[in-house]
Amino acid sequence: MHYIDVILPIPLENRFTYSITEAESGFLSIGMRVSIPFGKSKIYTGIVASIHQVKPLIYEAKQIHQILDETPIVTEMQLQLWQWIAKYYMCTEGEVMRAALPNAFLLESETIISKNNAIELNETDLKDDEYLIYEALQRQSSLKIQDIANILDKKNVLPVVKRLVEKEAIILNEEIYDKYKPKYVRYVKLTEDYTTPESLNQLLEALSSRAKKQRDVVMTLFSISAKTKKPVKVSDLVAESKTTSATVKALVDKGILEDYHIQTDRVVYDGEENEASKALNEFQTEALQQIKTSFKTQNVVLLHGITSSGKTEVYVKLIEEVIAKGQQVLYLLPEIALTTQLVTRLQNYFGEQVAVFHSKYSAHERVEVYNQVLNNSAKAKIVLGARSSIFLPFKDLGLIIVDEEHESSFKQFDPAPRYHARDVSVVLASLFKAKTLLGSATPSIESYFNAQENKYGLVEINRRYNNVQLPDIELVDIKDKQKRKKMKGHFSDRLIEEMTEAIADGHQIILFQNRRGYSPIVECNTCGHSPQCPNCDVSLTYHQFRKQLRCHYCGYNSAMLIKCMACGTPGLDSKGFGTEQIESEVRLLFPTLKVGRMDLDTTRGKFGYEKIITAFEQQEIDVLVGTQMLTKGLDFRNVKLVGIMNADNMLNFPDFRAHERSFQLMLQVSGRAGRTNKQGKVLIQTYNPYHKILQQVSINDYAGMFKEQLEERYNYKYPPYYRLIKITLKHRDYNKVDMAADWLAKSLTQLFKHNVLGPEFPPISRIRNQYHKNILIKVPQGQPLGKTKEAIKKVNTSFAAIGGFKGVRVIINVDNY
Ligand code: ADP
Ligand code: ZN
């Protein structure tokens, strides 16, 4: 007998064994998809992970339904990586598989259930089992019957689904899972019967008497194909012969023409011819040499180059060398930096060898890039992508570049796998014996520490390209300014002066504010009540543009209140400020300037960022107000002034990384100023100009910041000295979470003693009607990580067996950065 083990895209601990025929075993290889029956009646797409002759001991192996591929779509390297990720990040291979494959590959003929967004539902009207499903649908856009059975842990779930439909909470979709359809173009040619000159002449004669229009079409077809010697598109034929597609159809129906389809690529590059890469200056050349030397002994090198030092051009040289050997390159970036700016820059050098992969791409585009990478196609030698591109099926990877390696968006928080793309990159590269280059102007403490410990090579560039000086950074004490009445709204006199000057010189301005919306807290003048989100433990943020109060955690919104809900007095005050308020203040202060805003609210949709970035680039906007989105590797040529509206709220954020993050954020946003020829200017407004971090930012003292932060990390037992594993428990019942967390923390403390912190309710302890409680496990350097995780898993298994804690979700986050 022959068997296969398959990975299924569901959170199951084990692979499943199915039986196959001898013929099938001859045909199948590892990495192909099969459709298999699962449970009573479900069908899943699984990936063949091994082929063998060992009968499973505990259950009778079922037969597979169907083989879905002729060749593997998952490589053995990917399977190894999945296994590593599942083990390291404490999730299942099935969860990794789900994240790794484009959705369109996981076809399942099942009912699809999604949330009915058309109505506002009162969640208290739902029974417990109904609520669980409704809640899951807020996290996931759709569920299948099988998922629901898994969530509720019972087989017959149709009655619950039926009730939810009756309550109009969900919608059903009886269709086959949206399958990838390549984009086809329709072509026409003459049918066989008319390929000889005689038959063609006869045809034309026959048509000229009865159907003159059709005759013209045939003549035109003839002349286009004679001219181009290529297949003729229906659309071209219709245009050229000035006819309609109905005429073409009539000819097809008569059997005179024949239409056919050719698959075309959806993701097309329509740029110009390739341009030669730039000659490096002496500092870049030196850095390139050092990187290459370092790669002789190191697998990972950190390039620490200040903003605008020309790191990208150094990457370009390395990429040229790798693709000249026929190998592939993965270039990882935070999502937002993947806008036309960098994409066109690279396409100018490498033409259509560049493929782009990120979450705003459609399912179809993702499949296309996936297949190109799988086939090591010339069209995807260089993949520019956001974090999920580490899952692509590389065949011959030579180099991974992780640009802006300090960015926290490389870590996925939800759902599992909760991986860090930078760290996975290092593993992925090592599977291929390839190299990894990490680049940043403000490296993460971890990476810089690794470089200091000689685990990574370290190369630095300390000059801006063109030798432009780093911007001059000035701290503005707004407490003092307020006292002396030198503030207009949130603008100090210094900021207004500098803005006026920059504009007079024809330059552009960036204003950075960490929060979006108009003001984060609305408060009653009389009784002090402030409106809270009904689902979460937070105040609602006022958005002036829509005159709405919104929750930034669950999306809840309501119209702005006219009077206080508690005491009924009109006169609500807003406290704190966000990007929207800054935008409107700029309009008041400088009525003639064009102001733009870049934050989550203005950048939705596929080309959301792109539009704003392009408008700013083309100087259609004078002042751009934005959140941290502005910091991610953008290159604007005409920005002279950067204003940081308030440095304090980031510094005071309750997280051990708050200082490191603030330093990175402020230096990155400052780095947008004066990139071309004149020194830029940065103003940082703060209540506390003597703060260590601000002092370090003002003189670009990375080394000082690093040294000090490292000491703190050592003293308080944080990374890079200790690894962190965070466990979050969630349930809608406060007491249940509380008790469950106590039990879990106690059991863990028996194992790990004082290295277990908590359980503790986080500052925002309720989100989307779920209470959260956290436990933090610190793993010291000497303690084997693998064994630690095994032990946690065991405790978790005992936990899951306790009836009273049923329904409590336990989320494990390894390296909770
Ligand atoms: P970084 O990635 O270090 O912030 P970039 O690579 O974006 O810096 O370079 C900053 C600017 O300098 C870009 O506009 C880039 O085109 C220009 N530049 C960098 N190196 C060169 C070079 N060798 N020749 C010409 N222009 C360069
Ligand atoms: Zn909310």
Side-chain angles (χ1 to χ4, degrees):
M1 280 299 274
H2 297 266
Y3 298 95
I4 52 173
D5 293 344
V6 297
I7 303 173
L8 300 179
I10 42 180
L12 288 173
E13 211 42 56
N14 298 324
R15 295 175 176 177
F16 261 74
T17 306
Y18 286 84
S19 76
I20 50 171
T21 63
E22 173 128 29
E24 284 168 336
S25 106
F27 182 82
L28 273 173
S29 14
I30 290 175
M32 285 187 189
R33 285 174 304 167
V34 285
S35 69
I36 48 89
F38 188 82
K40 255 213 175 110
S41 59
K42 287 306 148 218
I43 299 170
Y44 276 117
T45 299
I47 296 287
V48 179
S50 65
I51 305 172
H52 57 83
Q53 304 197 347
V54 190
K55 193 176 154 74
L57 288 176
I58 324 170
Y59 54 94
E60 190 68 36
K62 291 184 189 168
Q63 288 174 355
I64 64 167
H65 273 170
Q66 213 181 338
I67 297 174
L68 297 173
D69 295 305
E70 278 162 23
T71 51
I73 61 145
V74 173
T75 66
E76 304 215 13
M77 226 54 129
Q78 277 176 292
L79 290 176
Q80 283 180 45
L81 188 70
W82 292 5
Q83 231 170 354
W84 184 87
I85 292 175
K87 196 158 176 238
Y88 188 88
Y89 291 105
M90 302 182 74
C91 63
T92 69
E93 281 182 301
E95 287 169 318
V96 185
M97 169 183 172
R98 232 211 215 281
L101 296 182
N103 252 333
F105 280 163
L106 305 173
L107 20 144
E108 288 151 354
S109 67
E110 281 178 29
T111 307
I112 299 162
I113 293 154
S114 43
K115 186 168 158 274
N116 183 4
N117 289 319
I119 68 161
E120 275 292 330
L121 196 80
N122 192 349
E123 293 182 351
T124 50
D125 291 341
L126 298 177
K127 291 191 185 169
D128 269 2
D129 51 358
E130 297 168 1
Y131 179 79
L132 277 176
I133 296 166
Y134 191 71
E135 192 272 324
L137 282 172
Q138 302 185 323
R139 274 183 278 117
Q140 231 169 309
S141 62
S142 64
L143 291 174
K144 300 186 202 81
I145 299 286
Q146 183 61 46
D147 301 330
I148 291 184
N150 289 341
I151 293 171
L152 298 181
D153 199 14
K154 66 177 183 188
K155 285 201 184 109
N156 187 9
V157 295
L158 291 179
V160 189
V161 174
K162 193 165 150 266
R163 274 188 271 130
L164 281 167
V165 173
E166 284 161 1
K167 291 184 177 169
E168 293 187 78
I170 58 171
I171 5 185
L172 302 184
N173 233 334
E174 300 278 8
E175 62 197 1
I176 297 274
Y177 210 96
D178 185 22
K179 197 178 156 186
Y180 169 68
K181 292 186 204 68
K183 188 175 159 195
Y184 287 105
V185 175
R186 220 169 118 225
Y187 291 85
V188 268
K189 60 183 179 195
L190 283 166
T191 49
E192 292 277 0
D193 298 353
Y194 302 101
T195 40
T196 63
E198 303 90 74
S199 55
L200 183 62
N201 272 331
Q202 277 174 10
L203 171 68
L204 289 174
E205 246 162 60
L207 288 177
S208 62
S209 54
R210 287 178 282 125
K212 200 164 167 312
K213 256 203 212 153
Q214 296 183 358
R215 183 180 179 272
D216 288 349
V217 172
V218 175
M219 291 289 285
T220 312
L221 173 63
F222 203 72
S223 81
I224 302 180
S225 43
K227 203 163 55 194
T228 62
K229 302 199 166 49
K230 279 184 189 161
V232 180
K233 289 183 195 161
V234 173
S235 54
D236 289 348
L237 179 59
V238 169
E240 196 106 346
S241 57
K242 299 193 179 60
T243 179
T244 61
S245 49
T247 317
V248 176
K249 185 171 177 295
L251 284 162
V252 172
D253 291 345
K254 279 187 182 170
I256 296 169
L257 297 185
E258 180 182 359
D259 60 351
Y260 59 104
H261 294 84
I262 299 178
Q263 183 183 337
T264 62
D265 284 323
R266 206 172 287 274
V267 190
V268 279
Y269 160 70
D270 47 8
E272 295 131 41
E273 287 301 298
N274 298 8
E275 160 188 312
S277 64
K278 297 195 165 64
L280 300 183
N281 70 16
E282 54 175 314
F283 305 102
Q284 289 169 313
T285 310
E286 174 71 25
L288 179 65
Q289 270 322 314
Q290 288 177 4
I291 292 169
K292 288 202 231 168
T293 310
S294 200
F295 273 154
K296 287 191 180 133
T297 53
Q298 296 278 14
N299 289 325
V300 185
V301 171
L302 172 64
L303 172 60
H304 176 204
I306 60 171
T307 52
S308 205
S309 54
K311 295 183 287 297
T312 318
E313 303 301 328
V314 176
Y315 304 152
V316 166
K317 298 289 178 196
L318 286 166
I319 295 171
E320 282 175 345
E321 290 181 19
V322 175
I323 59 170
K325 289 189 281 185
Q327 291 186 301
Q328 297 166 304
V329 175
L330 170 60
Y331 190 140
L332 277 176
L333 276 157
E335 185 98 26
I336 176 142
L338 285 169
T339 48
T340 29
Q341 275 204 333
L342 187 84
V343 176
T344 17
R345 202 162 148 191
L346 289 174
Q347 279 177 337
N348 283 341
Y349 298 143
F350 300 107
E352 57 175 22
Q353 300 178 88
V354 179
V356 184
F357 192 78
H358 63 84
S359 74
K360 288 193 174 179
Y361 267 35
S362 71
H364 301 296
E365 289 166 320
R366 293 173 145 244
V367 170
E368 221 149 77
V369 175
Y370 190 97
N371 284 333
Q372 286 168 348
V373 174
L374 182 65
N375 300 324
N376 199 356
S377 134
K379 284 189 179 168
K381 282 292 169 191
I382 305 154
V383 177
L384 259 174
R387 64 171 183 247
S388 63
S389 42
I390 51 143
F391 291 120
L392 287 169
F394 296 98
K395 273 285 164 73
D396 186 10
L397 190 60
L399 172 69
I400 304 181
I401 294 165
V402 186
D403 197 13
E404 313 291 345
E405 68 84 29
H406 62 279
E407 269 291 325
S408 56
S409 60
F410 284 127
K411 169 85 175 169
Q412 168 148 321
F413 283 95
D414 230 6
R418 298 180 171 80
Y419 63 100
H420 197 301
R422 176 196 61 212
D423 300 346
V424 175
S425 285
V426 173
V427 177
L428 173 64
S430 74
L431 290 175
F432 284 93
K433 305 209 168 6
K435 303 290 176 185
T436 308
L437 180 64
L438 311 178
S440 175
T442 51
S444 63
I445 302 271
E446 279 76 9
S447 296
Y448 204 74
F449 180 74
N450 281 332
Q452 299 253 303
E453 299 275 285
N454 227 355
K455 267 196 185 158
Y456 296 171
L458 177 65
V459 174
E460 313 210 271
I461 311 180
N462 295 315
R463 297 281 190 97
R464 284 192 143 183
Y465 177 75
N466 255 348
N467 242 336
V468 191
Q469 285 197 326
L470 277 172
D472 170 47
I473 300 181
E474 178 181 327
L475 301 173
V476 180
D477 182 345
I478 40 180
K479 196 152 134 207
D480 173 66
K481 294 285 181 195
Q482 270 168 354
K483 231 189 296 172
R484 297 195 285 126
K485 307 238 174 328
K486 295 267 168 76
M487 296 290 290
K488 279 193 186 150
H490 297 94
F491 290 75
S492 61
D493 56 346
R494 281 293 297 127
L495 186 50
I496 295 174
E497 275 163 32
E498 288 291 340
M499 286 176 73
T500 313
E501 192 185 317
I503 293 296
D505 292 346
H507 293 296
Q508 288 168 293
I509 300 167
I510 285 178
L511 297 177
F512 173 78
Q513 170 58 12
N514 221 7
R515 286 182 167 138
R516 64 196 166 95
Y518 190 85
S519 56
I521 296 176
V522 176
E523 210 177 69
C524 171
N525 276 333
T526 313
C527 75
H529 172 79
S530 76
Q532 304 284 308
C533 174
N535 311 319
C536 312
D537 196 9
V538 290
S539 302
L540 295 169
T541 298
Y542 176 44
H543 285 240
Q544 192 185 45
F545 175 66
R546 295 229 164 112
K547 305 237 176 321
Q548 269 181 343
L549 291 170
R550 303 186 70 93
C551 172
H552 286 184
Y553 288 83
C554 73
Y556 170 89
N557 59 73
S558 76
M560 177 60 181
L561 305 168
I562 305 166
K563 50 187 189 177
C564 174
M565 297 242 278
C567 71
T569 321
L572 292 165
D573 222 6
S574 46
K575 281 203 168 155
F577 60 104
T579 44
E580 219 187 39
Q581 187 166 163
I582 296 305
E583 181 191 359
S584 60
E585 287 184 16
V586 177
R587 287 186 203 282
L588 281 178
L589 289 167
F590 300 93
T592 57
L593 296 188
K594 277 170 263 131
V595 192
R597 176 157 59 90
M598 184 153 108
D599 55 29
L600 256 187
D601 299 317
T602 61
T603 54
R604 296 184 206 277
K606 183 165 176 184
F607 299 106
Y609 321 125
E610 208 121 351
K611 277 190 210 143
I612 299 174
I613 291 170
T614 310
F616 194 54
E617 242 171 356
Q618 296 175 348
Q619 306 191 25
E620 288 159 22
I621 294 174
D622 303 306
V623 183
L624 185 59
V625 180
T627 56
Q628 46 265 49
M629 274 187 185
L630 284 173
T631 60
K632 298 169 206 264
L634 299 169
D635 187 25
F636 299 115
R637 318 205 56 85
N638 191 41
V639 175
K640 173 74 190 311
L641 175 67
V642 167
I644 295 175
M645 301 309 297
N646 179 319
D648 306 302
N649 54 32
M650 14 175 183
L651 287 166
N652 297 333
F653 199 75
D655 180 284
F656 73 93
R657 280 178 211 280
H659 287 179
E660 176 191 358
R661 290 261 157 82
S662 308
F663 180 90
Q664 288 162 341
L665 219 57
M666 284 187 263
L667 269 193
Q668 291 286 347
V669 71
S670 304
R672 305 308 117 206
R675 287 174 74 88
T676 22
N677 41 44
K678 259 179 87 184
Q679 190 189 17
K681 174 89 190 171
V682 177
L683 287 179
I684 302 178
Q685 302 195 131
T686 171
Y687 284 96
N688 188 1
Y690 300 103
H691 196 292
K692 273 272 177 57
I693 288 287
L694 293 177
Q695 293 293 328
Q696 288 156 351
V697 167
S698 69
I699 53 169
N700 191 27
D701 183 13
Y702 181 84
M705 184 281 295
F706 175 75
K707 188 167 166 284
E708 223 172 80
Q709 291 302 310
L710 205 59
E711 268 166 33
E712 297 213 347
R713 301 288 176 86
Y714 183 82
N715 291 337
Y716 297 102
K717 299 188 173 173
Y718 278 114
Y721 297 104
Y722 282 66
R723 284 180 184 271
L724 300 182
I725 300 176
K726 182 169 148 189
I727 302 182
T728 303
L729 294 94
K730 291 188 189 176
H731 195 272
R732 73 198 294 212
D733 179 345
Y734 177 94
N735 288 322
K736 213 165 174 177
V737 180
D738 206 28
M739 271 158 34
D742 276 348
W743 187 96
L744 200 58
K746 229 177 245 150
S747 314
L748 290 166
T749 306
Q750 279 172 5
L751 294 173
F752 306 118
K753 314 285 181 256
H754 56 276
N755 284 328
V756 178
L757 301 190
E760 208 173 348
F761 285 107
I764 298 166
S765 64
R766 189 178 52 120
I767 296 176
R768 296 174 190 276
N769 278 323
Q770 300 264 341
Y771 287 96
H772 292 207
K773 203 162 188 182
N774 294 330
I775 300 168
L776 194 64
I777 301 169
K778 292 183 169 179
V779 187
Q781 257 169 346
Q783 184 176 318
L785 203 55
K787 282 199 181 133
T788 306
K789 289 173 186 169
E790 299 273 310
I792 295 173
K793 267 200 169 152
K794 262 197 195 139
V795 172
N796 210 5
T797 310
S798 321
F799 174 88
I802 300 175
F805 300 151
K806 212 169 150 64
V808 177
R809 289 221 308 146
V810 178
I811 292 160
I812 304 182
N813 192 337
V814 177
D815 292 342
N816 156 52
Y817 283 97

